[in-house]
Amino acid sequence: MAKIEIISPLPGIFYRSPSPESDAFVQEGDQVNSQTVVGLIEVMKQFSELTADHQGTLIEFCVSDSSAVEPGQVIALVETEE
């Protein structure tokens, strides 16, 4: 098993759901793949989707919802079968 980091490509605010009233895109323990959106990063009122990029199990979020993030910061960890 390998642990793959999901990295922030941008500086901004990380959100785990599309709106405050909505459920999170994914939870710890969920299966993810390269199409799975794990959150959004807001930069100056523009939102960019952050995807898992690997197939496996999302085992941990390393930042809290609505937290400021920097480029290169680890957002979450995915455990793969590789």
Side-chain angles (χ1 to χ4, degrees):
M1 302 245 179
K3 290 183 182 173
I4 306 294
E5 297 174 335
I6 299 175
I7 305 289
S8 175
L10 304 164
I13 305 297
F14 173 73
Y15 295 103
R16 289 186 52 191
S17 62
S19 72
E21 300 83 30
S22 299
D23 292 333
F25 289 106
V26 292
Q27 300 290 335
E28 291 177 353
D30 286 354
Q31 295 297 306
V32 296
N33 62 43
S34 62
Q35 309 294 309
T36 305
V37 175
V38 297
L40 300 173
I41 297 180
E42 177 190 9
V43 182
M44 297 175 60
K45 301 295 180 195
Q46 294 186 0
F47 293 87
S48 297
E49 290 182 344
L50 185 61
T51 57
D53 292 334
H54 290 85
Q55 185 170 336
T57 303
L58 192 139
I59 57 171
E60 180 184 356
F61 278 98
C62 301
V63 298
S64 300
D65 188 41
S66 303
S67 293
V69 295
E70 296 296 326
Q73 185 173 349
V74 177
I75 301 295
L77 298 173
V78 174
E79 189 170 72
T80 66
E81 295 294 324
E82 300 169 1

